[in-house]
Amino acid sequence: MSQPLEGSEVHRPGLHSRMWERVGSRTRKLKLRTRFILAFVLTTLVLSGLLTVAVFALTRQNLLDGRENDALATVGFNASSVSRRLRPETGSEALQNLVNTLATPEGSRPVLRVGDDWFQQSFEFESGNINERLRRTVESGRPAQMRYRVRDKPFLVVGIPIPGLNASYYEATPLDEIEDTLGSLGIILAGASGAVTLVSAGVGFWASRRLLRPLVDIGEAAQSIARGNLSTRLEAGTAQELVALTDSFNTMVGALQNRIARDERFASEVSHELRSPLMTLSASVEVMNTRRAELPERARTALDLLTEDVNRFEHLVEDLLEISRFDVGTAELDPDLFTLLEFVQNAVSISSPTDIPIICDPTTARVRVRADKRRLVQVIDNLVSNAQKYAGGATSVVLMRRGREIEIIVEDAGPGVAAEEREHIFDRFSRGRQGGERGASTGVGLGLALVAEHVRLHKGRVWCENRPDGRSGARFVVRLPIVVP
């Protein structure tokens, strides 16, 4: 089996695709406004970068071409002058004087080779600084030019052979001035590109706010409606393109508000209408119970079932009336100031036929709260009754203080509540997985819904969790703020 060579890159299928998937997922997590600004800035950065590179390259080429043309003209003139004045019998002193008198308008450094002798005007550029490849090309009889650095200084070196005399003429033109000019130009262009990018970021931020403001308004309106504020509406604004969307949104919210209002009025009116016949029915059942001893066995059984269902129906109507008050927004708190431990003890004794231990540390025992007693009694009664129906009764009620909040915890030793049902059991008419096992004595799924509504009215929250000791059972936690004078 062949092995990859050391240092070679091994291609792994799917590696690049996974990398781009991760990049794409991170990009999707960014906010729309951030992505808009990034796209704006990146586009400007790319365009300004391309423009900077193009301007720099063109300027550099023009400056170098201009200096090269001037240098070639000077070198050609000086080479012609040397060729005319050079004779085989010319001595070394005359040759040096000839080199010293050559014109150097660009500050160039002439170097003359005659046979094996070299003559230069300046020691800044000497014969030893001539590139070997350039020298071989010129000595072969062809003119040549080359750009390179000597002692960290850029030069354009041009060499021209002088035929018939075994001589060649070189001239080195310094390019440091052009290099300094290009360096300054590069700094200016980079600064201008950065400034343009920053300006584009500001413009992109302003444009994103202006363009995405309607979407932000729609999102805020949707959140407000989700929180129950059905009076929220969108303003049409000046954008004609959004008029249809705004009108449709407002129409939809209006229709939803009317539908919910009709449903709430219907539930409230039905509950009120049921109270009168229910009271008559309850009175009739009570009268029948007073003559219970005179009834035959089968009639007594039927009367017991009727009494139980009437009582259940009575609780259902009361719960529906209570919920309708929350729906129509008429539910209000009637707060009192009291010691929580004493209150919970009384509420638990009323709600449970058996003694339930109440666990409370000395610090929490002195906590006084301001709350609606009637609603808090109903919260405790529903939680204790719920434990009695589905878990064989509550095992303990715990009071625990957490900073500026107080927790009322009802624990049981039943089968517990499945994790996927812990949120839904506080929905109306939700009875969980035991709904099909209920008998006539069980409720209809409004108890925990009322608990959630009462706690929410107190600006608290309620949830269900497992017992912290690892035992079987459920743990219902009511957390309320401690509001004291």
Short mmCIF file of all heavy atoms in Angstrom, two decimals, residues 69-106:
data_model
loop_
_atom_site.label_atom_id
_atom_site.label_comp_id
_atom_site.label_asym_id
_atom_site.label_seq_id
_atom_site.Cartn_x
_atom_site.Cartn_y
_atom_site.Cartn_z
N ASN A 69 13.06 55.79 -18.09
CA ASN A 69 13.25 56.49 -19.37
C ASN A 69 14.30 57.58 -19.24
O ASN A 69 15.17 57.76 -20.12
CB ASN A 69 11.93 57.10 -19.82
CG ASN A 69 10.92 56.03 -20.22
OD1 ASN A 69 11.31 54.93 -20.63
ND2 ASN A 69 9.63 56.34 -20.11
N ASP A 70 14.25 58.34 -18.13
CA ASP A 70 15.26 59.39 -17.93
C ASP A 70 16.64 58.78 -17.79
O ASP A 70 17.64 59.31 -18.33
CB ASP A 70 14.92 60.19 -16.67
CG ASP A 70 13.63 61.00 -16.84
OD1 ASP A 70 13.22 61.22 -17.99
OD2 ASP A 70 13.04 61.39 -15.80
N ALA A 71 16.73 57.66 -17.03
CA ALA A 71 18.02 57.02 -16.84
C ALA A 71 18.58 56.48 -18.16
O ALA A 71 19.78 56.62 -18.44
CB ALA A 71 17.90 55.90 -15.82
N LEU A 72 17.72 55.87 -18.98
CA LEU A 72 18.18 55.33 -20.26
C LEU A 72 18.66 56.45 -21.18
O LEU A 72 19.66 56.28 -21.91
CB LEU A 72 17.05 54.54 -20.92
CG LEU A 72 16.68 53.20 -20.26
CD1 LEU A 72 15.50 52.56 -20.97
CD2 LEU A 72 17.87 52.25 -20.27
N ALA A 73 17.96 57.57 -21.15
CA ALA A 73 18.41 58.69 -21.98
C ALA A 73 19.78 59.20 -21.53
O ALA A 73 20.68 59.47 -22.35
CB ALA A 73 17.39 59.82 -21.93
N THR A 74 19.96 59.31 -20.20
CA THR A 74 21.24 59.79 -19.67
C THR A 74 22.35 58.78 -19.95
O THR A 74 23.46 59.15 -20.36
CB THR A 74 21.11 60.02 -18.15
OG1 THR A 74 20.07 60.98 -17.91
CG2 THR A 74 22.41 60.54 -17.58
N VAL A 75 22.05 57.49 -19.73
CA VAL A 75 23.06 56.46 -19.98
C VAL A 75 23.44 56.42 -21.46
O VAL A 75 24.63 56.30 -21.82
CB VAL A 75 22.53 55.09 -19.52
CG1 VAL A 75 23.48 53.97 -19.97
CG2 VAL A 75 22.38 55.06 -18.01
N GLY A 76 22.45 56.54 -22.34
CA GLY A 76 22.76 56.54 -23.77
C GLY A 76 23.64 57.72 -24.17
O GLY A 76 24.59 57.56 -24.96
N PHE A 77 23.32 58.90 -23.61
CA PHE A 77 24.14 60.08 -23.92
C PHE A 77 25.55 59.92 -23.39
O PHE A 77 26.54 60.19 -24.10
CB PHE A 77 23.47 61.32 -23.32
CG PHE A 77 24.25 62.57 -23.52
CD1 PHE A 77 24.20 63.26 -24.73
CD2 PHE A 77 25.07 63.07 -22.51
CE1 PHE A 77 24.95 64.43 -24.91
CE2 PHE A 77 25.81 64.23 -22.69
CZ PHE A 77 25.73 64.91 -23.89
N ASN A 78 25.68 59.49 -22.13
CA ASN A 78 27.02 59.32 -21.54
C ASN A 78 27.81 58.23 -22.24
O ASN A 78 29.04 58.35 -22.44
CB ASN A 78 26.90 59.00 -20.05
CG ASN A 78 26.45 60.21 -19.24
OD1 ASN A 78 26.60 61.35 -19.68
ND2 ASN A 78 25.92 59.96 -18.04
N ALA A 79 27.15 57.12 -22.61
CA ALA A 79 27.85 56.04 -23.32
C ALA A 79 28.35 56.52 -24.68
O ALA A 79 29.47 56.17 -25.11
CB ALA A 79 26.93 54.84 -23.48
N SER A 80 27.56 57.32 -25.37
CA SER A 80 28.00 57.87 -26.67
C SER A 80 29.19 58.81 -26.49
O SER A 80 30.14 58.80 -27.28
CB SER A 80 26.84 58.61 -27.33
OG SER A 80 25.78 57.73 -27.60
N SER A 81 29.13 59.64 -25.40
CA SER A 81 30.24 60.55 -25.15
C SER A 81 31.51 59.79 -24.85
O SER A 81 32.60 60.14 -25.34
CB SER A 81 29.87 61.47 -23.97
OG SER A 81 30.94 62.32 -23.64
N VAL A 82 31.42 58.71 -24.03
CA VAL A 82 32.59 57.91 -23.72
C VAL A 82 33.12 57.22 -24.97
O VAL A 82 34.33 57.16 -25.21
CB VAL A 82 32.25 56.88 -22.62
CG1 VAL A 82 33.37 55.86 -22.46
CG2 VAL A 82 31.97 57.57 -21.30
N SER A 83 32.24 56.70 -25.81
CA SER A 83 32.65 56.00 -27.02
C SER A 83 33.40 56.93 -27.97
O SER A 83 34.38 56.51 -28.62
CB SER A 83 31.42 55.40 -27.70
OG SER A 83 31.79 54.72 -28.89
N ARG A 84 32.95 58.22 -28.05
CA ARG A 84 33.61 59.16 -28.95
C ARG A 84 34.98 59.57 -28.43
O ARG A 84 35.92 59.78 -29.20
CB ARG A 84 32.75 60.41 -29.13
CG ARG A 84 31.49 60.18 -29.97
CD ARG A 84 30.88 61.50 -30.38
NE ARG A 84 30.60 62.37 -29.22
CZ ARG A 84 29.43 62.38 -28.58
NH1 ARG A 84 28.46 61.57 -28.96
NH2 ARG A 84 29.27 63.18 -27.53
N ARG A 85 35.11 59.69 -27.10
CA ARG A 85 36.35 60.21 -26.54
C ARG A 85 37.34 59.12 -26.14
O ARG A 85 38.49 59.43 -25.78
CB ARG A 85 36.02 61.07 -25.32
CG ARG A 85 35.16 62.28 -25.70
CD ARG A 85 34.56 62.97 -24.49
NE ARG A 85 35.60 63.47 -23.58
CZ ARG A 85 35.32 64.09 -22.43
NH1 ARG A 85 34.05 64.23 -22.04
NH2 ARG A 85 36.31 64.52 -21.65
N LEU A 86 36.89 57.89 -26.18
CA LEU A 86 37.76 56.80 -25.76
C LEU A 86 38.66 56.38 -26.92
O LEU A 86 38.17 56.12 -28.02
CB LEU A 86 36.92 55.61 -25.26
CG LEU A 86 37.69 54.45 -24.64
CD1 LEU A 86 38.43 54.90 -23.39
CD2 LEU A 86 36.72 53.33 -24.28
N ARG A 87 40.02 56.30 -26.65
CA ARG A 87 41.01 55.85 -27.62
C ARG A 87 41.86 54.75 -26.99
O ARG A 87 42.01 54.71 -25.76
CB ARG A 87 41.92 56.99 -28.05
CG ARG A 87 41.19 58.15 -28.77
CD ARG A 87 40.70 57.68 -30.16
NE ARG A 87 40.05 58.78 -30.86
CZ ARG A 87 38.78 59.05 -30.79
NH1 ARG A 87 37.97 58.31 -30.02
NH2 ARG A 87 38.28 60.07 -31.49
N PRO A 88 42.42 53.89 -27.84
CA PRO A 88 43.25 52.83 -27.26
C PRO A 88 44.44 53.36 -26.47
O PRO A 88 44.89 52.73 -25.50
CB PRO A 88 43.72 52.03 -28.48
CG PRO A 88 42.66 52.29 -29.52
CD PRO A 88 42.23 53.71 -29.30
N GLU A 89 44.95 54.52 -26.86
CA GLU A 89 46.12 55.06 -26.18
C GLU A 89 45.79 55.94 -24.98
O GLU A 89 46.68 56.49 -24.32
CB GLU A 89 46.97 55.87 -27.17
CG GLU A 89 46.31 57.13 -27.70
CD GLU A 89 45.41 56.85 -28.91
OE1 GLU A 89 45.21 55.65 -29.24
OE2 GLU A 89 44.89 57.81 -29.50
N THR A 90 44.45 56.08 -24.64
CA THR A 90 44.07 56.96 -23.53
C THR A 90 44.55 56.37 -22.22
O THR A 90 44.36 55.19 -21.93
CB THR A 90 42.55 57.13 -23.49
OG1 THR A 90 42.09 57.62 -24.75
CG2 THR A 90 42.15 58.12 -22.40
N GLY A 91 45.21 57.21 -21.42
CA GLY A 91 45.78 56.75 -20.16
C GLY A 91 44.74 56.67 -19.04
O GLY A 91 43.59 57.13 -19.17
N SER A 92 45.20 56.12 -17.92
CA SER A 92 44.29 55.90 -16.80
C SER A 92 43.81 57.21 -16.20
O SER A 92 42.63 57.37 -15.85
CB SER A 92 44.98 55.08 -15.70
OG SER A 92 45.34 53.81 -16.19
N GLU A 93 44.70 58.20 -16.11
CA GLU A 93 44.31 59.49 -15.54
C GLU A 93 43.27 60.17 -16.41
O GLU A 93 42.28 60.73 -15.91
CB GLU A 93 45.54 60.37 -15.38
CG GLU A 93 45.23 61.70 -14.68
CD GLU A 93 46.48 62.54 -14.44
OE1 GLU A 93 47.59 62.02 -14.69
OE2 GLU A 93 46.32 63.68 -13.98
N ALA A 94 43.44 60.07 -17.71
CA ALA A 94 42.48 60.68 -18.63
C ALA A 94 41.14 59.96 -18.56
O ALA A 94 40.06 60.59 -18.65
CB ALA A 94 43.04 60.66 -20.07
N LEU A 95 41.20 58.66 -18.42
CA LEU A 95 39.96 57.90 -18.31
C LEU A 95 39.19 58.27 -17.04
O LEU A 95 37.96 58.40 -17.04
CB LEU A 95 40.25 56.40 -18.32
CG LEU A 95 40.75 55.82 -19.67
CD1 LEU A 95 41.14 54.37 -19.51
CD2 LEU A 95 39.66 55.97 -20.74
N GLN A 96 39.92 58.46 -15.91
CA GLN A 96 39.25 58.85 -14.67
C GLN A 96 38.65 60.25 -14.80
O GLN A 96 37.53 60.51 -14.34
CB GLN A 96 40.24 58.81 -13.52
CG GLN A 96 39.62 59.12 -12.16
CD GLN A 96 38.56 58.10 -11.75
OE1 GLN A 96 38.83 56.89 -11.77
NE2 GLN A 96 37.35 58.57 -11.41
N ASN A 97 39.40 61.16 -15.46
CA ASN A 97 38.86 62.50 -15.68
C ASN A 97 37.63 62.44 -16.56
O ASN A 97 36.67 63.21 -16.36
CB ASN A 97 39.93 63.39 -16.32
CG ASN A 97 41.05 63.73 -15.35
OD1 ASN A 97 40.83 63.74 -14.13
ND2 ASN A 97 42.25 63.98 -15.88
N LEU A 98 37.64 61.52 -17.56
CA LEU A 98 36.49 61.38 -18.43
C LEU A 98 35.26 60.95 -17.63
O LEU A 98 34.16 61.49 -17.81
CB LEU A 98 36.81 60.35 -19.53
CG LEU A 98 35.64 59.96 -20.44
CD1 LEU A 98 35.11 61.17 -21.21
CD2 LEU A 98 36.09 58.87 -21.42
N VAL A 99 35.45 59.99 -16.74
CA VAL A 99 34.32 59.52 -15.93
C VAL A 99 33.82 60.63 -15.00
O VAL A 99 32.61 60.81 -14.79
CB VAL A 99 34.73 58.27 -15.11
CG1 VAL A 99 33.65 57.89 -14.11
CG2 VAL A 99 35.00 57.10 -16.05
N ASN A 100 34.76 61.41 -14.44
CA ASN A 100 34.37 62.47 -13.50
C ASN A 100 33.58 63.58 -14.18
O ASN A 100 32.82 64.30 -13.54
CB ASN A 100 35.60 63.05 -12.82
CG ASN A 100 36.26 62.06 -11.87
OD1 ASN A 100 35.60 61.13 -11.39
ND2 ASN A 100 37.56 62.23 -11.62
N THR A 101 33.79 63.78 -15.49
CA THR A 101 33.11 64.87 -16.20
C THR A 101 31.76 64.46 -16.80
O THR A 101 31.09 65.28 -17.41
CB THR A 101 34.01 65.40 -17.33
OG1 THR A 101 34.31 64.32 -18.24
CG2 THR A 101 35.29 65.98 -16.77
N LEU A 102 31.36 63.19 -16.61
CA LEU A 102 30.09 62.75 -17.18
C LEU A 102 28.92 63.39 -16.43
O LEU A 102 28.97 63.60 -15.21
CB LEU A 102 29.97 61.22 -17.11
CG LEU A 102 30.95 60.43 -18.01
CD1 LEU A 102 30.82 58.94 -17.75
CD2 LEU A 102 30.69 60.75 -19.49
N ALA A 103 27.85 63.68 -17.16
CA ALA A 103 26.65 64.30 -16.55
C ALA A 103 25.87 63.25 -15.76
O ALA A 103 25.63 62.13 -16.26
CB ALA A 103 25.78 64.90 -17.65
N THR A 104 25.45 63.63 -14.56
CA THR A 104 24.64 62.73 -13.70
C THR A 104 23.45 63.52 -13.15
O THR A 104 23.40 63.84 -11.95
CB THR A 104 25.49 62.16 -12.56
OG1 THR A 104 26.07 63.28 -11.83
CG2 THR A 104 26.61 61.29 -13.08
N PRO A 105 22.45 63.84 -13.99
CA PRO A 105 21.34 64.69 -13.53
C PRO A 105 20.45 64.02 -12.49
O PRO A 105 19.83 64.70 -11.68
CB PRO A 105 20.58 64.98 -14.83
CG PRO A 105 20.91 63.84 -15.73
CD PRO A 105 22.34 63.48 -15.40
N GLU A 106 20.38 62.75 -12.48
CA GLU A 106 19.52 62.04 -11.52
C GLU A 106 20.33 61.52 -10.34
O GLU A 106 19.87 60.66 -9.60
CB GLU A 106 18.81 60.86 -12.21
CG GLU A 106 17.95 61.25 -13.39
CD GLU A 106 16.77 62.12 -12.98
OE1 GLU A 106 16.36 62.03 -11.80
OE2 GLU A 106 16.26 62.86 -13.82
#
